Amino acid sequence: MADPMQVKLTATDIAVRLPYTEAGTALRLGGVWVPTWKCWLFPKSPEVALRLASAFRKLIDAKGADTASLTAYIEETRTPVPRAQDSIVIPDGNCPGLKTQAWPHQRACFAFCHPRSGSMLNMGMGTGKTLTTIALLHDARRVLIITPKAVMAVWPGEFAKHASYEMHALPLTYSSVKINAGKAQDFLAEADAKGWDHAAIIVNYESAWREPLSDLLLKYHWDAVVLDECHKIKTPGGRASRFCAKLRRRAVKVYGLTGTPMPHSPLDLYGQMRAIAPDLYGSNYHAFERRYALLGEFKQPISYINQQEMQEKFFSVAFQAGRECISLPEATHTVIPVTLEAEARRKYNELATELATEVEGGQITASNALVKLLRLQQICGGAVKTDDGSYVRISTAKRAALTELLEGMGGEPCVVFCRFTSDIDAVREACANLQLDYAELSGKRNDLAAFQQGNGHVIAVQIQSGGVGVDLTRARYCVYYSLGFDAGAFEQSLARVHRPGQKHNVSYYHLIAQKSVDERVYQAMRDKRDVVAQFLHLKKEDFV
């Protein structure tokens, strides 16, 4: 197994010891190999340090890495990026178009975004992006809102709750794109015929680019386009991203909303800004990529460069606000240890031993490791997948732990996040045994509105379906039956319960199978580390 990364700083150099597999990357970063010291030397500068940090992020996060000096040097030499928003004078009173009082950071965001033809509301979860956007739309007659499918139905209610003006809104949730196109055309014709001051079409990203709806949307003149959770169009070659770029020419103003504009890399900005402020980074993605990334042998980014310039441009059109802007009730996290039964433990150990052997022997890729980690996780939840794609229940330990928790909640509303279908089934079974009303938000069911209106004691939420733009503040209890591997999605899911509108202290419970991957995944989520990379650097005793 490769030795962990080590970094030492001298007055003039950054000395780095790396696994031999990283030699090509070190050369492309300008490193010089020193055989007597068995390390790579790089000239000491803040820019080089940042390049090393981005190129070797997984190694830096790996167990046993000795890289604290590099991290400290980056922090010591970091130059604050000037933000246009810092010169904004926060207006007194309230934002126009609102009957709900806006917070100071929302009023500042309005003052920043409203004069611009394209801007991004880079506001964290729960900071009120939607309310600020409703204020920004107060003088827009014809509006197009593109949003993830799960939150299409949320927008009309938010207008009714917060807007002092009447917004006629049509979510396109019909059975086919052709029907949606016809309904949109009729709605817009009615809006013009009746002289409505405000009318909005609401469509999801997967439908907007499909004909004949896309033809209609590209022909119409929009006073404002809202790209809700605009990181969904981060991939420049994606059809939704290309459609939104074309749509920019048909809109007077475009507002992009996201708390995570760079979920995977700084290059994620291009696809979004092409649809919001197309002049910001130019019209050619490859030129943008060469400007801000150092490419490897196969044209993949291995490090990021000119980041100061990139961020200065970004903050010229983006307003940033984090959760530090708001005051929320207290949130606590409690780990509930779960002991697997003998049969489940045996199956778990067999697969874990197989994975550990392959990792130690360097015989496994990240994609293969991911498949086996998912199988280990599913065993922790009590299920084993069969060859025909179904599953067999081999443990009820987590279901029993959930049952005990739900019994102790006295019938109060509870959210249970799950990763696997088998986990959702276990939650449903637990509710049936306790005679609790059950609701679900997954790829198969959407009972969100009913739960928000007070129906159902427990809602099982598939993390992939309930992490973005969903308000679950009816509950103050939240259980994680299982976790995904995406730290960003985990943070999003936490903020579905602990957000503005929550009036009670929030209690999170994490069902963790002892001596299993559950413990590692949970810690990685709390530390915001890459799960798969972490497992690829563990030893056998860490798995079993």
Side-chain angles (χ1 to χ4, degrees), residues 5 7 9 12-16 26 29-32 40-56 60 70 73-74 77 294 302-306:
M5 181 177 175
V7 177
L9 273 65
T12 57
D13 297 296
I14 302 175
V16 184
L29 289 169
V32 176
W40 295 89
L41 284 187
F42 298 87
K44 185 179 178 182
S45 74
E47 178 72 15
V48 170
L50 286 169
R51 292 186 188 185
L52 292 172
S54 64
F56 301 120
I60 290 171
L70 179 67
Y73 177 67
I74 290 172
T77 58
L294 187 64
I302 60 173
S303 184
Y304 302 104
I305 58 177
N306 300 317

mmCIF file of all heavy atoms in Angstrom, residues 5 7 9 12-16 26 29-32 40-56 60 70 73-74 77 294 302-306:
data_model
loop_
_atom_site.group_PDB
_atom_site.id
_atom_site.type_symbol
_atom_site.label_atom_id
_atom_site.label_comp_id
_atom_site.label_asym_id
_atom_site.label_seq_id
_atom_site.Cartn_x
_atom_site.Cartn_y
_atom_site.Cartn_z
ATOM 1 N N MET A 5 0.769 10.964 1.879
ATOM 2 C CA MET A 5 1.422 12.193 1.430
ATOM 3 C C MET A 5 2.048 12.921 2.618
ATOM 4 O O MET A 5 1.488 12.990 3.706
ATOM 5 C CB MET A 5 0.381 13.094 0.758
ATOM 6 C CG MET A 5 0.906 14.399 0.221
ATOM 7 S SD MET A 5 -0.417 15.317 -0.632
ATOM 8 C CE MET A 5 0.425 16.855 -1.020
ATOM 9 N N VAL A 7 4.301 16.671 3.543
ATOM 10 C CA VAL A 7 4.709 17.989 3.058
ATOM 11 C C VAL A 7 5.564 18.677 4.118
ATOM 12 O O VAL A 7 5.206 18.683 5.302
ATOM 13 C CB VAL A 7 3.496 18.876 2.729
ATOM 14 C CG1 VAL A 7 3.949 20.275 2.299
ATOM 15 C CG2 VAL A 7 2.625 18.248 1.656
ATOM 16 N N LEU A 9 7.853 22.490 4.503
ATOM 17 C CA LEU A 9 8.146 23.781 3.883
ATOM 18 C C LEU A 9 9.497 24.302 4.353
ATOM 19 O O LEU A 9 9.829 24.217 5.538
ATOM 20 C CB LEU A 9 7.061 24.801 4.222
ATOM 21 C CG LEU A 9 5.827 24.839 3.302
ATOM 22 C CD1 LEU A 9 5.049 23.535 3.386
ATOM 23 C CD2 LEU A 9 4.930 26.016 3.655
ATOM 24 N N THR A 12 12.403 28.477 0.823
ATOM 25 C CA THR A 12 12.240 28.716 -0.617
ATOM 26 C C THR A 12 11.443 27.639 -1.341
ATOM 27 O O THR A 12 11.065 27.840 -2.494
ATOM 28 C CB THR A 12 13.626 28.806 -1.296
ATOM 29 O OG1 THR A 12 14.346 27.587 -1.029
ATOM 30 C CG2 THR A 12 14.406 30.000 -0.768
ATOM 31 N N ASP A 13 11.211 26.492 -0.685
ATOM 32 C CA ASP A 13 10.608 25.365 -1.409
ATOM 33 C C ASP A 13 9.473 24.722 -0.606
ATOM 34 O O ASP A 13 9.372 24.859 0.618
ATOM 35 C CB ASP A 13 11.660 24.290 -1.695
ATOM 36 C CG ASP A 13 12.767 24.799 -2.604
ATOM 37 O OD1 ASP A 13 12.457 25.137 -3.757
ATOM 38 O OD2 ASP A 13 13.920 24.848 -2.137
ATOM 39 N N ILE A 14 8.656 23.989 -1.366
ATOM 40 C CA ILE A 14 7.661 23.089 -0.779
ATOM 41 C C ILE A 14 8.101 21.679 -1.150
ATOM 42 O O ILE A 14 8.124 21.314 -2.331
ATOM 43 C CB ILE A 14 6.246 23.364 -1.313
ATOM 44 C CG1 ILE A 14 5.830 24.813 -1.025
ATOM 45 C CG2 ILE A 14 5.242 22.392 -0.691
ATOM 46 C CD1 ILE A 14 4.491 25.193 -1.637
ATOM 47 N N ALA A 15 8.510 20.895 -0.142
ATOM 48 C CA ALA A 15 8.966 19.526 -0.371
ATOM 49 C C ALA A 15 7.804 18.570 -0.137
ATOM 50 O O ALA A 15 7.142 18.633 0.907
ATOM 51 C CB ALA A 15 10.122 19.193 0.558
ATOM 52 N N VAL A 16 7.564 17.689 -1.121
ATOM 53 C CA VAL A 16 6.389 16.819 -1.064
ATOM 54 C C VAL A 16 6.783 15.377 -1.369
ATOM 55 O O VAL A 16 7.432 15.106 -2.390
ATOM 56 C CB VAL A 16 5.314 17.274 -2.082
ATOM 57 C CG1 VAL A 16 4.060 16.406 -1.942
ATOM 58 C CG2 VAL A 16 4.971 18.740 -1.887
ATOM 59 N N ALA A 26 2.865 15.363 -10.556
ATOM 60 C CA ALA A 26 3.890 16.232 -9.965
ATOM 61 C C ALA A 26 4.716 16.921 -11.046
ATOM 62 O O ALA A 26 5.044 18.109 -10.936
ATOM 63 C CB ALA A 26 4.803 15.402 -9.058
ATOM 64 N N LEU A 29 2.831 19.735 -12.637
ATOM 65 C CA LEU A 29 2.718 20.878 -11.733
ATOM 66 C C LEU A 29 4.035 21.628 -11.583
ATOM 67 O O LEU A 29 4.116 22.605 -10.845
ATOM 68 C CB LEU A 29 2.243 20.414 -10.356
ATOM 69 C CG LEU A 29 0.773 19.957 -10.271
ATOM 70 C CD1 LEU A 29 0.503 19.278 -8.935
ATOM 71 C CD2 LEU A 29 -0.158 21.133 -10.461
ATOM 72 N N GLY A 30 5.078 21.161 -12.281
ATOM 73 C CA GLY A 30 6.368 21.852 -12.237
ATOM 74 C C GLY A 30 7.308 21.355 -11.164
ATOM 75 O O GLY A 30 8.293 22.026 -10.834
ATOM 76 N N GLY A 31 7.023 20.164 -10.623
ATOM 77 C CA GLY A 31 7.877 19.619 -9.577
ATOM 78 C C GLY A 31 9.202 19.086 -10.110
ATOM 79 O O GLY A 31 9.306 18.660 -11.260
ATOM 80 N N VAL A 32 10.222 19.099 -9.263
ATOM 81 C CA VAL A 32 11.546 18.545 -9.586
ATOM 82 C C VAL A 32 11.839 17.419 -8.607
ATOM 83 O O VAL A 32 11.794 17.616 -7.385
ATOM 84 C CB VAL A 32 12.646 19.628 -9.500
ATOM 85 C CG1 VAL A 32 14.018 19.011 -9.750
ATOM 86 C CG2 VAL A 32 12.365 20.759 -10.479
ATOM 87 N N TRP A 40 9.594 15.501 -4.044
ATOM 88 C CA TRP A 40 9.449 16.493 -5.112
ATOM 89 C C TRP A 40 9.605 17.887 -4.514
ATOM 90 O O TRP A 40 9.074 18.169 -3.446
ATOM 91 C CB TRP A 40 8.072 16.375 -5.767
ATOM 92 C CG TRP A 40 7.861 15.082 -6.494
ATOM 93 C CD1 TRP A 40 7.376 13.920 -5.986
ATOM 94 C CD2 TRP A 40 8.151 14.832 -7.864
ATOM 95 N NE1 TRP A 40 7.341 12.944 -6.941
ATOM 96 C CE2 TRP A 40 7.807 13.483 -8.116
ATOM 97 C CE3 TRP A 40 8.665 15.597 -8.903
ATOM 98 C CZ2 TRP A 40 7.960 12.893 -9.361
ATOM 99 C CZ3 TRP A 40 8.810 15.014 -10.154
ATOM 100 C CH2 TRP A 40 8.473 13.677 -10.376
ATOM 101 N N LEU A 41 10.320 18.748 -5.225
ATOM 102 C CA LEU A 41 10.463 20.141 -4.794
ATOM 103 C C LEU A 41 9.676 21.056 -5.719
ATOM 104 O O LEU A 41 9.749 20.942 -6.950
ATOM 105 C CB LEU A 41 11.928 20.561 -4.801
ATOM 106 C CG LEU A 41 12.826 20.063 -3.662
ATOM 107 C CD1 LEU A 41 14.188 20.725 -3.752
ATOM 108 C CD2 LEU A 41 12.200 20.334 -2.296
ATOM 109 N N PHE A 42 8.940 21.976 -5.091
ATOM 110 C CA PHE A 42 8.179 22.986 -5.828
ATOM 111 C C PHE A 42 8.566 24.352 -5.276
ATOM 112 O O PHE A 42 8.828 24.481 -4.072
ATOM 113 C CB PHE A 42 6.674 22.780 -5.628
ATOM 114 C CG PHE A 42 6.158 21.464 -6.129
ATOM 115 C CD1 PHE A 42 6.189 20.345 -5.310
ATOM 116 C CD2 PHE A 42 5.642 21.341 -7.403
ATOM 117 C CE1 PHE A 42 5.710 19.125 -5.749
ATOM 118 C CE2 PHE A 42 5.158 20.127 -7.860
ATOM 119 C CZ PHE A 42 5.197 19.015 -7.036
ATOM 120 N N PRO A 43 8.603 25.374 -6.125
ATOM 121 C CA PRO A 43 8.907 26.715 -5.610
ATOM 122 C C PRO A 43 7.817 27.157 -4.635
ATOM 123 O O PRO A 43 6.626 26.959 -4.882
ATOM 124 C CB PRO A 43 8.923 27.592 -6.866
ATOM 125 C CG PRO A 43 8.173 26.820 -7.901
ATOM 126 C CD PRO A 43 8.386 25.374 -7.590
ATOM 127 N N LYS A 44 8.262 27.753 -3.548
ATOM 128 C CA LYS A 44 7.308 28.152 -2.506
ATOM 129 C C LYS A 44 6.611 29.458 -2.875
ATOM 130 O O LYS A 44 7.261 30.510 -3.000
ATOM 131 C CB LYS A 44 8.053 28.314 -1.178
ATOM 132 C CG LYS A 44 7.142 28.606 0.010
ATOM 133 C CD LYS A 44 7.967 28.717 1.289
ATOM 134 C CE LYS A 44 7.106 29.049 2.493
ATOM 135 N NZ LYS A 44 7.922 29.208 3.718
ATOM 136 N N SER A 45 5.312 29.361 -3.072
ATOM 137 C CA SER A 45 4.498 30.550 -3.327
ATOM 138 C C SER A 45 3.047 30.186 -3.034
ATOM 139 O O SER A 45 2.667 29.014 -3.097
ATOM 140 C CB SER A 45 4.620 31.014 -4.792
ATOM 141 O OG SER A 45 3.899 30.158 -5.653
ATOM 142 N N PRO A 46 2.200 31.168 -2.714
ATOM 143 C CA PRO A 46 0.788 30.875 -2.439
ATOM 144 C C PRO A 46 0.083 30.212 -3.618
ATOM 145 O O PRO A 46 -0.719 29.296 -3.426
ATOM 146 C CB PRO A 46 0.198 32.264 -2.142
ATOM 147 C CG PRO A 46 1.356 33.069 -1.634
ATOM 148 C CD PRO A 46 2.537 32.578 -2.420
ATOM 149 N N GLU A 47 0.403 30.648 -4.843
ATOM 150 C CA GLU A 47 -0.235 30.075 -6.029
ATOM 151 C C GLU A 47 0.123 28.604 -6.186
ATOM 152 O O GLU A 47 -0.739 27.757 -6.458
ATOM 153 C CB GLU A 47 0.195 30.863 -7.282
ATOM 154 C CG GLU A 47 -0.365 30.316 -8.594
ATOM 155 C CD GLU A 47 -1.849 30.565 -8.768
ATOM 156 O OE1 GLU A 47 -2.417 31.395 -8.030
ATOM 157 O OE2 GLU A 47 -2.446 29.912 -9.645
ATOM 158 N N VAL A 48 1.408 28.269 -6.001
ATOM 159 C CA VAL A 48 1.835 26.871 -6.114
ATOM 160 C C VAL A 48 1.192 26.028 -5.010
ATOM 161 O O VAL A 48 0.754 24.894 -5.246
ATOM 162 C CB VAL A 48 3.374 26.769 -6.049
ATOM 163 C CG1 VAL A 48 3.816 25.311 -5.924
ATOM 164 C CG2 VAL A 48 3.990 27.392 -7.294
ATOM 165 N N ALA A 49 1.118 26.561 -3.806
ATOM 166 C CA ALA A 49 0.499 25.831 -2.704
ATOM 167 C C ALA A 49 -0.960 25.506 -3.001
ATOM 168 O O ALA A 49 -1.430 24.392 -2.740
ATOM 169 C CB ALA A 49 0.609 26.641 -1.413
ATOM 170 N N LEU A 50 -1.666 26.464 -3.574
ATOM 171 C CA LEU A 50 -3.067 26.238 -3.928
ATOM 172 C C LEU A 50 -3.189 25.181 -5.020
ATOM 173 O O LEU A 50 -4.100 24.345 -4.998
ATOM 174 C CB LEU A 50 -3.716 27.547 -4.382
ATOM 175 C CG LEU A 50 -4.025 28.557 -3.274
ATOM 176 C CD1 LEU A 50 -4.410 29.904 -3.871
ATOM 177 C CD2 LEU A 50 -5.144 28.042 -2.375
ATOM 178 N N ARG A 51 -2.259 25.204 -5.979
ATOM 179 C CA ARG A 51 -2.294 24.188 -7.034
ATOM 180 C C ARG A 51 -2.069 22.800 -6.460
ATOM 181 O O ARG A 51 -2.737 21.832 -6.843
ATOM 182 C CB ARG A 51 -1.230 24.493 -8.094
ATOM 183 C CG ARG A 51 -1.500 25.739 -8.914
ATOM 184 C CD ARG A 51 -0.470 25.888 -10.030
ATOM 185 N NE ARG A 51 -0.602 27.165 -10.715
ATOM 186 C CZ ARG A 51 0.099 27.517 -11.792
ATOM 187 N NH1 ARG A 51 0.987 26.673 -12.295
ATOM 188 N NH2 ARG A 51 -0.083 28.690 -12.367
ATOM 189 N N LEU A 52 -1.137 22.681 -5.556
ATOM 190 C CA LEU A 52 -0.872 21.386 -4.926
ATOM 191 C C LEU A 52 -2.085 20.915 -4.131
ATOM 192 O O LEU A 52 -2.456 19.732 -4.173
ATOM 193 C CB LEU A 52 0.349 21.487 -4.009
ATOM 194 C CG LEU A 52 1.704 21.710 -4.689
ATOM 195 C CD1 LEU A 52 2.773 21.994 -3.638
ATOM 196 C CD2 LEU A 52 2.100 20.487 -5.515
ATOM 197 N N ALA A 53 -2.707 21.830 -3.418
ATOM 198 C CA ALA A 53 -3.868 21.466 -2.603
ATOM 199 C C ALA A 53 -5.019 20.970 -3.462
ATOM 200 O O ALA A 53 -5.709 20.010 -3.099
ATOM 201 C CB ALA A 53 -4.314 22.660 -1.760
ATOM 202 N N SER A 54 -5.247 21.598 -4.603
ATOM 203 C CA SER A 54 -6.348 21.165 -5.465
ATOM 204 C C SER A 54 -6.003 19.878 -6.210
ATOM 205 O O SER A 54 -6.858 19.024 -6.414
ATOM 206 C CB SER A 54 -6.729 22.269 -6.456
ATOM 207 O OG SER A 54 -5.668 22.548 -7.349
ATOM 208 N N ALA A 55 -4.736 19.711 -6.586
ATOM 209 C CA ALA A 55 -4.337 18.515 -7.327
ATOM 210 C C ALA A 55 -4.351 17.269 -6.451
ATOM 211 O O ALA A 55 -4.682 16.174 -6.916
ATOM 212 C CB ALA A 55 -2.949 18.710 -7.934
ATOM 213 N N PHE A 56 -3.977 17.415 -5.189
ATOM 214 C CA PHE A 56 -3.816 16.253 -4.313
ATOM 215 C C PHE A 56 -4.809 16.260 -3.144
ATOM 216 O O PHE A 56 -4.497 15.782 -2.065
ATOM 217 C CB PHE A 56 -2.378 16.201 -3.786
ATOM 218 C CG PHE A 56 -1.341 16.116 -4.870
ATOM 219 C CD1 PHE A 56 -0.358 17.104 -5.004
ATOM 220 C CD2 PHE A 56 -1.347 15.079 -5.781
ATOM 221 C CE1 PHE A 56 0.590 17.039 -6.008
ATOM 222 C CE2 PHE A 56 -0.396 14.998 -6.801
ATOM 223 C CZ PHE A 56 0.571 15.977 -6.912
ATOM 224 N N ILE A 60 -4.491 14.555 0.579
ATOM 225 C CA ILE A 60 -4.432 15.411 1.772
ATOM 226 C C ILE A 60 -5.476 14.977 2.789
ATOM 227 O O ILE A 60 -5.235 14.985 4.002
ATOM 228 C CB ILE A 60 -4.620 16.894 1.379
ATOM 229 C CG1 ILE A 60 -3.388 17.391 0.610
ATOM 230 C CG2 ILE A 60 -4.884 17.769 2.596
ATOM 231 C CD1 ILE A 60 -3.552 18.761 -0.004
ATOM 232 N N LEU A 70 1.238 22.621 4.831
ATOM 233 C CA LEU A 70 0.742 23.176 3.565
ATOM 234 C C LEU A 70 -0.565 23.929 3.793
ATOM 235 O O LEU A 70 -0.745 25.053 3.309
ATOM 236 C CB LEU A 70 0.537 22.055 2.542
ATOM 237 C CG LEU A 70 0.008 22.488 1.174
ATOM 238 C CD1 LEU A 70 1.039 23.345 0.438
ATOM 239 C CD2 LEU A 70 -0.376 21.276 0.324
ATOM 240 N N TYR A 73 0.110 27.201 5.588
ATOM 241 C CA TYR A 73 0.723 28.194 4.702
ATOM 242 C C TYR A 73 -0.327 28.837 3.787
ATOM 243 O O TYR A 73 -0.317 30.060 3.564
ATOM 244 C CB TYR A 73 1.817 27.536 3.868
ATOM 245 C CG TYR A 73 2.472 28.441 2.855
ATOM 246 C CD1 TYR A 73 3.254 29.520 3.249
ATOM 247 C CD2 TYR A 73 2.302 28.212 1.487
ATOM 248 C CE1 TYR A 73 3.851 30.351 2.315
ATOM 249 C CE2 TYR A 73 2.894 29.040 0.536
ATOM 250 C CZ TYR A 73 3.673 30.108 0.961
ATOM 251 O OH TYR A 73 4.261 30.927 0.029
ATOM 252 N N ILE A 74 -1.243 28.023 3.282
ATOM 253 C CA ILE A 74 -2.302 28.550 2.416
ATOM 254 C C ILE A 74 -3.162 29.553 3.181
ATOM 255 O O ILE A 74 -3.504 30.628 2.670
ATOM 256 C CB ILE A 74 -3.160 27.392 1.854
ATOM 257 C CG1 ILE A 74 -2.354 26.583 0.831
ATOM 258 C CG2 ILE A 74 -4.441 27.921 1.215
ATOM 259 C CD1 ILE A 74 -3.037 25.318 0.371
ATOM 260 N N THR A 77 -1.290 32.927 3.853
ATOM 261 C CA THR A 77 -1.009 33.771 2.683
ATOM 262 C C THR A 77 -2.247 34.072 1.842
ATOM 263 O O THR A 77 -2.144 34.695 0.793
ATOM 264 C CB THR A 77 0.045 33.087 1.785
ATOM 265 O OG1 THR A 77 -0.443 31.795 1.378
ATOM 266 C CG2 THR A 77 1.360 32.920 2.531
ATOM 267 N N LEU A 294 -5.165 23.471 -14.856
ATOM 268 C CA LEU A 294 -3.988 22.811 -15.407
ATOM 269 C C LEU A 294 -4.429 21.409 -15.791
ATOM 270 O O LEU A 294 -4.913 20.647 -14.939
ATOM 271 C CB LEU A 294 -2.874 22.760 -14.358
ATOM 272 C CG LEU A 294 -1.510 22.245 -14.823
ATOM 273 C CD1 LEU A 294 -0.913 23.171 -15.879
ATOM 274 C CD2 LEU A 294 -0.571 22.126 -13.628
ATOM 275 N N ILE A 302 -6.135 18.662 -13.399
ATOM 276 C CA ILE A 302 -5.418 18.092 -12.261
ATOM 277 C C ILE A 302 -5.178 19.141 -11.179
ATOM 278 O O ILE A 302 -4.848 18.807 -10.049
ATOM 279 C CB ILE A 302 -4.072 17.467 -12.702
ATOM 280 C CG1 ILE A 302 -3.164 18.525 -13.340
ATOM 281 C CG2 ILE A 302 -4.297 16.295 -13.616
ATOM 282 C CD1 ILE A 302 -1.770 18.010 -13.648
ATOM 283 N N SER A 303 -5.344 20.410 -11.544
ATOM 284 C CA SER A 303 -5.211 21.482 -10.570
ATOM 285 C C SER A 303 -5.873 22.735 -11.149
ATOM 286 O O SER A 303 -6.178 22.788 -12.344
ATOM 287 C CB SER A 303 -3.731 21.750 -10.265
ATOM 288 O OG SER A 303 -3.599 22.720 -9.247
ATOM 289 N N TYR A 304 -6.100 23.722 -10.288
ATOM 290 C CA TYR A 304 -6.799 24.931 -10.718
ATOM 291 C C TYR A 304 -5.894 26.144 -10.532
ATOM 292 O O TYR A 304 -5.179 26.257 -9.533
ATOM 293 C CB TYR A 304 -8.115 25.083 -9.951
ATOM 294 C CG TYR A 304 -8.985 23.878 -10.171
ATOM 295 C CD1 TYR A 304 -9.118 22.897 -9.181
ATOM 296 C CD2 TYR A 304 -9.619 23.677 -11.388
ATOM 297 C CE1 TYR A 304 -9.879 21.767 -9.407
ATOM 298 C CE2 TYR A 304 -10.379 22.546 -11.618
ATOM 299 C CZ TYR A 304 -10.504 21.597 -10.635
ATOM 300 O OH TYR A 304 -11.245 20.466 -10.864
ATOM 301 N N ILE A 305 -5.910 27.024 -11.522
ATOM 302 C CA ILE A 305 -5.016 28.172 -11.554
ATOM 303 C C ILE A 305 -5.819 29.458 -11.728
ATOM 304 O O ILE A 305 -7.005 29.436 -12.060
ATOM 305 C CB ILE A 305 -3.984 28.022 -12.697
ATOM 306 C CG1 ILE A 305 -4.693 27.875 -14.045
ATOM 307 C CG2 ILE A 305 -3.076 26.817 -12.441
ATOM 308 C CD1 ILE A 305 -3.759 27.786 -15.243
ATOM 309 N N ASN A 306 -5.159 30.589 -11.501
ATOM 310 C CA ASN A 306 -5.783 31.908 -11.669
ATOM 311 C C ASN A 306 -7.106 32.017 -10.894
ATOM 312 O O ASN A 306 -8.077 32.626 -11.366
ATOM 313 C CB ASN A 306 -6.013 32.213 -13.153
ATOM 314 C CG ASN A 306 -4.717 32.228 -13.940
ATOM 315 O OD1 ASN A 306 -3.704 32.764 -13.495
ATOM 316 N ND2 ASN A 306 -4.725 31.599 -15.117
#
